[in-house]
Amino acid sequence: MESVELNNGVEMPLLGFGTYQIEDPEECERSVREALRTGYRLIDTAAAYGNEEAVGRAIENSDVPRNEVFVTSKLWIQDAGYEPTKDAFERSLDRLGLDYLDLYLIHQPYGDVHGSWRAMEELYHEDRIRAIGVSNFHPDRLMDLMVHNEVVPAVNQIETHPFYQRTDDAAFLAEHGVQHQSWGPFAEGQHDIFDHDVLTDIGDRYGKSPAQVTLRWLVQREVVAIPKSVHDERIAENFDVFDFELTGEEMARIGDLDTGESLFFDHRDPEMVKRLGTAERET
Ligand code: NAP
C-alpha cells in the first residue's frame, strides 16, 4: 500500500476504508474484517458513527497485527472542550478496545475546539495518539487553530469528490503541511457517479469502473481516500486502483466536473451550525 508522510513523520496509507452509516454491528464488523482481509490498512470511524465497538472487534478478530492498522476516530461536537475531550477520547479507546489511536480528529469545527485541541496536544505528547487533526475545517478555521496553538494539525478530512474538488483548500493545506483527506469520495452516489459518462469513458480505456477512476483521481492528487462499502466485491474493486495511471488530459477532464459547491451542506451555514451545536449528546 502506498502511503503519505504526515507532518510529524508518521506514515498514513493513501487509501483506507470508511465506516459511516454502517450501523448494524454485525455488518460493520464483517465489512471491516473483509476490508482488512483485502489489504486495507486504514480504518476510519468516529464516536458519532456508533460503531467503534464493532470496528474494534473486527481489528481484534482479524489476522492483521494492531500496529499494521492505521485507526482513525473522531471527537463529536458535544464533547468539545478540554475536559470533555479527554473523557471522550478514553471512551472511544475503550469502545475500540485499543490502547492508542493512530489519528484523532476534531469532527466538526464547532464549540470549544481550542480546548479540545489542547487536550489532544497533551494526549499526543503522551503518545496516546500518533497524530492529531481536524475535519470539515475551512482555511480560516484551520488558520485560527494553527495561530493559537502549538501542534499543526496533521490532517484535514473534508468532503472531496469529482463534483466538489477543493482545489483551493488543497493548495492551502499543502502550503501549511496539512494532509488532505477526502470524505465521501463517491459523493455517496450522487450525480449518478457510478454510471457517469466521463468516468465510464475514461475507465473503459483501462478496464476500470467509474468508482476506480474516481479513487485513482484522488490518490493521484495525493488525497487520502476512504471509500465505504458493505459489499465484498465493491470492497475489492475500490482497493484495486494502483495498477493504472490517469493521463494529464484525463485528470483535466475530471477536473471539469467540479461544481465548486458541497453536495451535502456548507459548514459555514449558520442554521447547520445551530442545528448540530444544539443537538442531543449521542456518544
Ligand atoms: P462514499 O464512500 O462516497 O459512498 C458510499 C456509497 O457508495 C455507499 O452507498 C456504497 O454502497 C456505495 N459504493 C461504494 N463502492 C461502490 C462501488 N464500487 N460501486 C457502486 N457503489 C459503491 O460515502 P461516505 O461513506 O459518506 O464517505 C466515505 C467515508 O468518509 C465514510 O464512511 C466515513 O468514514 C467518512 N466520512 C467522514 C465525514 C466527516 O464529516 N468527517 C462525513 C462523511 C463521511 P454499499 O455500501 O451498499 O456498497
Side-chain angles (χ1 to χ4, degrees), residues 4-200:
V4 291
E5 187 180 324
L6 302 180
N7 60 14
N8 63 353
V10 166
E11 294 283 331
M12 179 183 196
L14 193 47
L15 183 66
F17 185 72
T19 64
Y20 180 44
Q21 291 169 326
I22 318 184
E23 276 133 28
D24 176 67
E26 275 169 30
E27 184 167 65
C28 182
E29 183 177 343
R30 200 197 57 71
S31 303
V32 173
R33 279 185 72 175
E34 180 62 19
L36 290 168
R37 205 186 59 74
T38 302
Y40 291 80
R41 290 295 177 267
L42 187 177
I43 308 295
D44 183 88
T45 182
Y49 299 171
N51 61 17
E52 289 174 306
E53 285 102 338
V55 168
R57 276 197 305 278
I59 294 168
E60 189 182 354
N61 295 332
S62 78
D63 295 330
V64 185
R66 163 69 186 97
N67 64 2
E68 290 179 19
V69 189
F70 189 103
V71 183
T72 303
S73 194
K74 314 186 193 82
L75 174 83
W76 191 237
I77 305 163
Q78 276 67 23
D79 291 314
Y82 180 84
E83 282 299 341
T85 295
K86 291 233 166 158
D87 289 348
F89 172 73
E90 297 302 340
R91 291 200 306 277
S92 273
L93 267 195
D94 213 43
R95 287 190 291 261
L96 282 158
L98 301 177
D99 53 13
Y100 69 93
L101 276 183
D102 294 277
L103 181 64
Y104 196 40
L105 303 177
I106 296 180
H107 203 146
Q108 305 285 356
Y110 309 141
D112 180 10
V113 294
H114 290 273
S116 293
W117 194 251
R118 280 191 287 280
M120 288 164 64
E121 285 180 334
E122 284 181 15
L123 293 163
Y124 170 65
H125 289 310
E126 290 162 7
D127 294 329
R128 310 284 314 281
I129 314 172
R130 295 177 67 225
I132 55 178
V134 297
S135 179
N136 298 311
F137 275 51
H138 283 277
D140 63 312
R141 296 292 84 219
L142 195 53
M143 182 56 88
D144 187 58
L145 197 71
M146 290 191 293
V147 164
H148 296 289
N149 293 282
E150 180 210 332
V151 177
V152 174
V155 170
N156 189 15
Q157 183 182 114
I158 53 177
E159 178 190 347
T160 312
H161 46 71
F163 313 111
Y164 189 31
Q165 304 194 0
R166 315 302 293 262
T167 42
D168 290 349
D169 292 75
F172 180 84
L173 295 174
E175 183 187 343
H176 295 283
V178 183
Q179 176 62 45
H180 183 171
Q181 182 173 27
S182 147
W183 68 250
F186 302 138
E188 293 184 3
Q190 295 185 67
H191 279 270
D192 216 7
I193 190 168
F194 301 116
D195 286 308
H196 195 280
D197 52 355
V198 171
L199 302 171
T200 302

Side-chain angles (χ1 to χ4, degrees), residues 216-232:
R216 180 69 216 178
W217 166 77
L218 282 167
V219 299
Q220 217 166 295
R221 288 173 66 198
E222 295 223 333
V223 177
V224 175
I226 42 171
K228 167 264 176 187
S229 178
V230 295
H231 293 100
D232 293 2

Side-chain angles (χ1 to χ4, degrees), residues 263-283:
L263 298 189
F264 297 89
F265 70 91
D266 189 330
H267 282 79
R268 296 161 297 195
D269 173 3
E271 276 311 311
M272 254 345 254
V273 179
K274 183 174 172 188
R275 173 131 57 98
L276 288 173
T278 54
E280 288 289 309
R281 189 168 177 282
E282 285 178 9
T283 59

